[in-house]
Amino acid sequence: MALIDGLFPATTDRPRQSRATRPGPTQLRAQCTARAVTESVPELRRFARGTARQWAVPEEVSHTLALVVSELVTNSVLHSGSTDITTRIVFDGVALTVEVTDSGRWLGRDADRRMAEDEDAAFGRGLDLVRACTSWCTIHLSPAGTSVVARLPVVESGADR
């Protein structure tokens, strides 16, 4: 098992949180790995909220972090074909950086996932929502999988705007 930023990744049937650590004087890091299944979306959302709470991040930013994690994890579950998803959160005192990584490849859908009851529902806008909620968002595709990294300002900073 590899050591990443002082944290051991864990893949189990249930998400396992790594304890938040302080690798440097101004950074906090936390990581959680879960199976790429629908039930992991709320688990990783709770992980993000709990981490933000532990770090005393303002409530509004905590809610935005939870939304961003939900959208990114949902995309991995629906489109990657990966067996696992890792969520990493870093707080540098100015902003939160969240990274959601999977080991799959983006898959096409055989059928539209909308049902008649969803006629007026919005689908396919998750990344647009993430971009609207963050100061920046990047997507890295590689043979090893997909990684999406987004940054959420916590305190006003000209560098993040």
Side-chain angles (χ1 to χ4, degrees), residues 18 23 118 149:
S18 297
D118 294 334
V149 183

Side-chain angles (χ1 to χ4, degrees), residues 71-137:
E71 292 296 331
L72 296 179
V73 170
T74 298
N75 278 349
S76 287
V77 168
L78 292 176
H79 304 297
S80 74
S82 179
T83 58
D84 60 289
I85 301 167
T86 299
T87 300
R88 289 180 196 90
I89 305 169
V90 177
F91 181 42
D92 64 8
V94 175
L96 291 166
T97 302
V98 60
E99 178 180 10
V100 174
T101 304
D102 62 57
S103 59
R105 301 276 174 103
W106 285 84
L107 305 172
R109 283 197 304 262
D110 293 336
D112 193 356
R113 72 175 183 261
R114 293 185 190 198
M115 300 184 310
E117 298 84 23
D118 294 334
E119 185 72 29
D120 296 321
F123 291 96
R125 298 184 186 148
L127 287 175
D128 290 338
L129 182 59
V130 168
R131 287 184 180 108
C133 292
T134 60
S135 58
W136 57 261
C137 175

Side-chain angles (χ1 to χ4, degrees), residues 25-69:
T26 60
Q27 282 196 343
L28 298 169
R29 297 175 186 265
Q31 172 177 310
C32 185
T33 298
R35 292 183 322 136
V37 295
T38 306
E39 296 80 14
S40 294
V41 176
E43 292 292 330
L44 290 169
R45 183 174 50 241
R46 282 191 290 276
F47 160 72
R49 276 198 191 124
T51 298
R53 190 176 311 112
Q54 181 180 357
W55 295 343
V57 169
E59 183 101 7
E60 180 179 321
V61 178
S62 175
H63 289 306
T64 303
L65 174 65
L67 173 66
V68 167
V69 167

